[in-house]
Each structure stands twice: as structure tokens, then as C-alpha cells.
């Protein structure tokens, strides 16, 4: 055996034992480069074959090729083994134990005001009313003028209005939805209008944004008795069978007569909101025949109702989004 052949034999055994010791496919790649790569000793030997004597050339050529092939085969066999065991251990690591208890999921719940709104709207829909909505940015015309607030009338300034550009305001009540509904529909009209409203006001019972629910009925022969009957039915639905509504004289430009409505609560009365018979000036403004039609309207704050129903003392809590508070309902 020539010295070169001994070198080949040594490289062959070294390579085969490295392959058999390899633990990962990336180690195998290193081994391949080390023993079969362009700069490997075995490759150098093959390159030098041309300069050997013919006899030697044949022997060295043969044994170096055999060695390369043997190393290649060992590499590819080992690679298959490792790849499948690596796949297995990956699968084992990623396996999900479906018998473990799940991560508890936090369930949301409806905001107390939203519960009242849904409850009241359901009640009216059940009586055959439609639901009407309007934009929160409203024209001064719909919010005031069409509702019989004359220009410069003190009732306008009582609303603490957020004025926007060019005859627009943040609506101060849901009553402009009355105007929109009547402009778009011929009587009879039976609608309930929930929505957000805005006034520049903030204390324990007032927030700059608050909710209102409006109702409007226009039909033949509608009277104040219909208003009171409707309010009583709604109060019983929301507050229970014993609830009653009390009306007190009041003033709104768009109703005549106008009343303030209270609902019985415990031993006392809770102020709900305003109501009245739709002022004929409003009906005329939207083109309704006041000889034929009369109507009633009312508007109240579901936030206030929620405060009372759930015993919350500061209205501002409803709008702070504090989950510790909201989760209690
Ligand atoms: N829009 C009035 C308010 O916000 C309430 C109201 C509605 C009064 C409908 C009468 C009729 O105070």
C-alpha cells in the first residue's frame, strides 16, 4: 500500500466514524464539506492523480473514488435517519395535550345603559314602532329651528350647545330625529329614536355626552291620555309591574302642552325626562295637516335610568370604560 493509499484509507475511516457520530443534519453538512468539499484532502489527492505514475494512477484513482462513494452513501443514509428522528422529536415537542384544561376566556357583558336602551327599544318594537336614527352632528335647523326654537330664544342657550362650523351643532337632544322622520314619512308615524347627545356640562349627574331615547307618535286622534298610557306601559316593562308615571307641567318649544315625567321608584319619584303633545308649529313646519293629525313625543335619558336601576351614584362612571366597574353588571 502506497503512502497515498494509506492517507485515503485514513480519511475514509475518519469520515465514516464522524458520520456515524453526527447528531444533527447540519453536522452532516459540515462533515460533507470537510471530507468531500473542493478543499478537502481527498479532493486534493484526486486532483494530483495526473502527476502519478500510470500504475499508481490506477490504484489511487480507484481507491479514492471508492472512498468518496462510501462516504457519500454513509452521509445520505445517516441524513435520512437523522431527518426522520428530528421530525419525530419536533412533532413530539409541538404536540398539544387536548386533555389539559383551557385558558379561561373573559366574557364581556352589555354596558348598563345599553341594557336599558335595548330593553326600551324592544318594548316599542313589540308595540309596532319603527326605530329611527339620525346623525350626531346635526344642523341648527333640525336641532332648533324646525322644533320651534325661534332665533335668539332663551331656550336655545339653556342647551349648552357645542357649536360647530356653518350652521352645524353637536345635537343637544334626539328631538331632531323627529324632524327628520316627519320630513321623510307621511303620517301615521310611530317611532322610537335612541342615540347619543351632547351638551357642554359635567358633574355627577351630567356628562358632555349622554344618551337619549325619543319617541314620536303622530296619528289621527292622539291625545295626552295616549302619552300617559304609553309611558305607564313602558315604565312597567322597565321597572316592574308596580311602576307608575307622574306628569308635571313644564315647557318645551316643540310641545304644547309640555310635561316633565317622573317614574315611581322605591318610595319616591325619579325624574325621567320631557314630553308633550307635538306643537302644531312643528307639524306645520314638516308639512303635516294639523287639522287631521295630532301627536305626542317624549325624550328621556337611559343613563339616568341605568343609574337608578343599578344603584350607581356618579353618571361619569358609565363613560370611563373602567373594566372593574363595568364587570359588576
Ligand atoms: N328634547 C327634550 C330634552 O332633551 C325632551 C323632550 C323630548 C321633550 C320630546 C318633549 C318631547 O330635554
Amino acid at each position: 500500500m502506497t503512502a497515498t493509499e494509506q492517507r485515503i484509507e485514513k480519511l475514509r475511516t475518519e469520515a465514516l466514524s464522524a458520520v456515524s457520530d453526527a447528531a444533527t443534519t447540519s453536522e452532516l453538512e459540515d462533515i460533507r464539506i470537510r471530507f468531500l468539499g473542493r478543499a478537502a484532502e481527498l479532493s486534493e489527492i484526486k486532483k494530483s492523480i495526473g502527476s502519478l505514475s500510470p500504475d499508481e494512477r490506477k490504484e489511487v484513482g480507484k481507491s479514492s473514488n471508492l472512498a468518496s462513494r462510501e462516504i457519500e452513501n454513509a452521509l445520505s443514509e445517516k441524513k435520512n435517519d437523522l431527518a426522520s428522528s428530528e421530525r419525530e422529536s419536533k412533532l413530539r415537542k409541538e404536540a398539544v395535550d387536548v386533555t389539559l384544561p383551557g385558558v379561561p376566556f373573559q366574557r364581556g357583558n352589555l354596558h348598563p345603559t345599553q341594557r336599558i336602551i335595548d330593553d326600551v327599544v324592544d318594548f316599542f318594537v313589540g308595540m309596532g314602532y319603527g326605530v329611527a336614527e339620525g346623525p350626531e352632528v346635526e344642523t341648527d335647523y333640525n336641532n332648533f329651528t324646525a322644533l320651534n326654537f325661534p332665533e335668539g330664544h332663551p331656550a336655545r342657550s339653556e342647551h349648552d350647545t357645542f357649536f360647530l362650523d356653518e350652521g352645524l351643532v353637536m345635537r343637544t337632544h334626539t328631538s331632531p330625529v323627529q324632524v327628520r322622520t316627519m320630513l321623510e314619512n307621511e303620517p301615521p308615524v310611530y317611532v322610537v329614536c335612541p342615540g347619543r347627545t351632547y351638551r357642554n356640562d359635567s358633574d355627577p349627574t351630567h356628562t358632555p355626552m349622554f344618551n337619549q331615547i325619543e319617541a314620536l307618535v303622530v296619528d289621527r286622534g292622539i291625545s295626552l291620555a295616549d302619552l300617559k298610557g304609553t309611558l305607564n306601559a313602558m315604565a312597567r316593562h322597565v321597572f316592574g309591574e308596580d311602576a307608575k308615571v307622574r306628569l308635571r307641567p313644564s315647557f318645551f318649544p316643540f310641545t304644547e302642552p309640555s310635561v316633565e315625567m317622573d317614574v315611581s321608584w322605591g318610595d319616591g319619584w325619579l325624574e325621567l325626562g320631557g314630553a308633550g303633545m307635538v306643537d302644531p308649529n312643528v307639524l306645520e313646519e314638516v308639512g303635516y295637516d294639523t287639522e287631521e293629525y295630532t301627536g305626542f313625543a317624549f325624550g328621556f335619558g337611559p343613563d339616568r335610568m341605568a343609574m337608578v336601576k343599578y344603584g350607581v351614584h356618579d353618571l361619569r362612571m358609565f363613560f370611563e370604560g373602567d373594566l372593574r366597574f363595568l364587570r359588576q353588571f
Side-chain angles (χ1 to χ4, degrees), residues 159 172-175 178 199 212 214 252 254-255 274-276 297-299:
H159 274 213
T172 58
H173 50 178
T174 42
S175 300
Q178 290 187 33
R199 291 186 199 180
Q212 279 197 340
E214 189 96 6
F252 298 101
F254 41 97
T255 45
F298 60 84

Side-chain angles (χ1 to χ4, degrees), residues 68-294:
S68 306
R69 218 170 306 141
E70 217 180 314
I71 296 169
E72 264 162 31
N73 288 341
L75 276 168
S76 84
E77 217 171 283
K78 183 77 178 187
K79 191 170 174 185
N80 281 339
D81 287 356
L82 284 178
S84 69
S85 71
E86 277 170 15
R87 200 167 336 118
E88 255 169 54
S89 80
K90 187 166 177 229
L91 286 176
R92 220 175 304 121
K93 234 185 286 164
E94 288 174 0
V96 172
D97 182 353
V98 293
T99 66
L100 285 174
V103 179
F105 194 79
Q106 293 273 12
R107 267 180 78 202
N109 55 282
L110 287 176
H111 190 282
T113 302
Q114 194 60 45
R115 287 176 189 224
I116 300 271
I117 294 171
D118 289 353
D119 200 21
V120 170
V121 169
D122 276 355
F123 168 76
F124 282 106
V125 168
M127 300 221 301
Y129 285 52
V131 179
E133 285 178 307
E136 291 165 33
V137 173
E138 188 50 283
T139 60
D140 182 277
Y141 176 80
N142 286 338
N143 196 82
F144 291 122
T145 311
L147 289 168
N148 199 33
F149 285 79
E151 297 283 348
H153 190 282
R156 278 187 190 231
S157 52
E158 275 165 28
H159 274 213
D160 297 311
T161 312
F162 288 112
F163 290 97
L164 304 172
D165 290 345
E166 297 176 39
L168 295 176
V169 298
M170 297 306 293
R171 68 177 176 196
T172 58
H173 50 178
T174 42
S175 300
V177 185
Q178 290 187 33
V179 176
R180 290 175 172 271
T181 305
M182 289 190 284
L183 286 173
E184 283 162 19
N185 299 278
E186 289 303 317
V189 166
Y190 288 82
V191 286
V192 60
C193 329
R196 292 193 177 122
T197 49
Y198 300 83
R199 291 186 199 180
N200 191 358
D201 211 353
S202 184
D203 65 44
T205 54
H206 296 88
T207 48
M209 189 287 291
F210 56 105
N211 291 277
Q212 279 197 340
I213 300 178
E214 189 96 6
L216 170 70
V217 167
V218 182
D219 204 345
R220 295 189 177 88
I222 297 295
S223 74
L224 202 65
D226 297 308
L227 168 64
K228 187 151 189 194
T230 304
L231 288 172
N232 271 327
M234 179 188 80
R236 282 199 299 271
H237 178 80
V238 177
F239 289 103
E241 273 312 304
D242 300 332
K244 279 184 206 44
V245 168
R246 170 175 86 173
L247 303 182
R248 287 176 287 114
S250 185
F251 171 80
F252 298 101
F254 41 97
T255 45
E256 181 59 35
S258 299
V259 294
E260 207 82 48
M261 50 198 187
D262 304 329
V263 65
S264 56
W265 179 252
D267 299 336
W269 295 92
L270 155 71
E271 216 182 293
L272 259 190
M277 299 304 293
V278 181
D279 193 303
N281 285 346
V282 175
L283 296 178
E284 259 157 36
E285 183 72 22
V286 298
Y288 280 13
D289 182 349
T290 52
E291 293 297 317
E292 202 173 344
Y293 293 103
T294 50

